[in-house]
Amino acid sequence: MTGGARGEDPQAAADLDDPARLEALDPTDFLGAVERLPEQVREGWRLGAAQRHLPPGEGIRGVAVLGMGGSGISGDVCRAVVGPRSPVVIEAVKGYELPGWAGPDALVLAVSYSGNTEETLAAFEQACERGARVVAVAGGGRLAELARRRGVPLVEVPGGLMPRAALGYLAMPILAVCERLGLWGSGAAVAEAAELLDQRVEECGRKSAIGVNPAKQLALRLLGRVPVVYGSEGLAGVAAYRWKCQFNENAKVPAFWNAVPELDHNEVMGWPPGSPLGPGFAAVVLRHAGEHARVATRIDATAEMVEPGVGFVEQAWARGASPLARLLDLACLGDFTSTYLGLARGIDPAPIRAIERLKEAIERPR
Ligand code: PA5
């Protein structure tokens, strides 16, 4: 099976429940890293909370989280979880340059799993030069080296994974630092998130058969279609973006995302009923109980309007009470779904050759 067929495929379904076939397709056990997200969340929080030498929290006026791709998503998580409850602005910086406001009263959290991402390193150097209050999170590499050399507090997380499979190690330390500096009160959110993730893994892990496994089922429905993932602005929008990136990297398919309410003002025009393009796409709509009442009404109306114009629409609801638990719960479901979609296509979910080739193509001496 190489991904040509559309919709459920009996052979792909059998493969997803066959441990030997999964092992053959996934020699580095990428799926195992997805299954260990709850442990990572607990450990990532512990590592962040254990950093004893943080800059002062008083007078922080903004937080910039630096990072690209699988590391950069931690900045989006921080923005969605801490932002609405914090008096200071939180910005995810995905590029070479710090925003103009980030100076000595800014907290700059530089996140790179490899530690060698040039955009993150450039913005990190800029933050140090501007006298910002910098903390680094890395699995090693130059970022860890530079942080040590410059006396910047470093949360060193376990290495050896693909960055996108290290979400718990990357996002939780920065949330812990925000909590320690008085920017966020986590309450019971971390424990709740980890417990709900345990449940998701139980339900969506490899041992859970296709008949009762929502991630395997959705992956099979998506076979041969381009996923379009929608969420509401805020935590579900971040989850939708994570799903899109995970479909790209784990399943090696094009995928798109957008957020309500903005998409109601433009993208909704792209799915007219009967268009010959529509059936090749499928919309996955990420929901949670904390949606703004008008946004919830909009999502219902949007899903109804889009449905005749695409292959199918499926809604997935977050569990949990806290925004952190809801976001991670949705992300975990997407991590499983995208990994199973790759496996159902007969593809090893781990390698990311195009990303590596691009890094090599622009390599220059430093
Ligand atoms: O998923 C990936 O591997 C990429 O998106 C990387 O995360 C990205 O290229 C940045 O690398 P790093 O996370 O090591 O900073």
Side-chain angles (χ1 to χ4, degrees):
M1 171 74 217
T2 53
R6 178 177 289 176
E8 292 174 38
D9 176 278
Q11 186 53 51
D15 286 354
L16 290 184
D17 277 347
D18 176 354
R21 174 81 177 139
L22 292 183
E23 211 179 310
L25 284 171
D26 179 18
T28 61
D29 196 23
F30 186 87
L31 182 56
V34 174
E35 290 171 330
R36 286 189 289 278
L37 181 60
E39 286 94 308
Q40 269 192 32
V41 162
R42 294 182 174 99
E43 179 63 3
W45 179 260
R46 194 193 65 71
L47 289 169
Q51 169 54 255
R52 290 283 144 233
H53 305 288
L54 294 178
E58 296 76 43
I60 289 176
R61 288 163 54 139
V63 180
V65 186
L66 320 178
M68 305 303 297
S71 294
I73 189 77
S74 58
D76 300 310
V77 170
C78 186
R79 185 170 49 78
V81 170
V82 179
R85 280 142 217 97
S86 169
V88 306
V89 70
I90 315 265
E91 190 172 330
V93 177
K94 300 186 181 196
Y96 293 84
E97 311 231 36
L98 270 188
W101 57 261
D105 51 11
L107 172 67
V108 175
L109 300 160
V111 187
S112 171
Y113 190 66
S114 65
N116 294 325
T117 299
E118 65 171 44
E119 298 94 319
T120 311
L121 290 169
F124 167 83
E125 297 274 16
Q126 226 179 17
C128 295
E129 278 153 27
R130 287 194 202 168
R133 306 174 200 194
V134 186
V135 177
V137 178
R142 275 182 62 74
L143 182 59
E145 226 177 272
L146 287 172
R148 280 196 199 95
R149 199 182 307 156
R150 288 177 173 273
V152 165
L154 168 70
V155 180
E156 191 155 11
V157 299
L161 298 168
M162 304 301 281
R164 64 191 188 282
L167 177 65
Y169 287 148
L170 297 168
M172 299 311 290
I174 65 173
L175 295 178
V177 169
C178 287
E179 197 209 35
R180 290 269 310 284
L181 297 184
L183 301 169
W184 179 54
S186 70
V190 178
E192 187 205 13
E195 272 168 37
L196 285 173
L197 290 172
D198 284 335
Q199 287 172 29
R200 266 295 176 207
V201 171
E202 185 76 25
E203 182 183 39
C204 297
R206 76 189 80 196
K207 289 191 193 136
S208 168
I210 196 145
V212 290
N213 186 321
K216 288 182 181 175
Q217 289 168 8
L218 180 53
L220 286 184
R221 285 193 86 192
L222 287 169
L223 259 185
R225 289 201 166 90
V226 176
V228 177
V229 192
Y230 290 157
S232 48
E233 186 56 38
L235 75 90
V238 170
Y241 174 63
R242 167 77 175 180
W243 277 59
K244 167 234 139 34
C245 297
Q246 295 290 76
F247 279 129
N248 298 147
E249 294 186 61
N250 301 343
K252 281 78 175 164
V253 294
F256 301 91
W257 77 284
N258 210 332
V260 176
E262 176 62 15
L263 77 87
D264 283 354
H265 300 271
N266 36 64
E267 184 159 323
V268 76
M269 291 301 298
W271 309 116
S275 158
L277 296 174
F281 295 82
V284 180
V285 186
L286 305 182
R287 310 289 310 259
H288 68 94
E291 290 160 353
H292 184 286
R294 294 296 297 156
V295 168
T297 305
R298 278 181 176 278
I299 297 177
D300 291 338
T302 307
E304 207 173 298
M305 192 170 289
V306 165
E307 194 146 30
V310 295
F312 67 85
V313 175
E314 182 153 326
Q315 304 208 21
W317 282 85
R319 295 172 183 154
S322 64
L324 176 67
R326 287 173 181 162
L327 202 173
L328 291 180
D329 182 54
L330 288 173
C332 185
L333 180 61
D335 289 359
F336 275 114
T337 304
S338 55
T339 305
Y340 289 132
L341 180 58
L343 294 165
R345 299 184 70 229
I347 284 172
D348 179 353
I352 42 163
R353 303 242 159 72
I355 295 174
E356 287 162 1
R357 278 211 309 274
L358 257 168
K359 288 185 183 180
E360 283 157 22
I362 60 155
E363 191 59 39
R364 59 186 158 86
R366 271 197 275 263

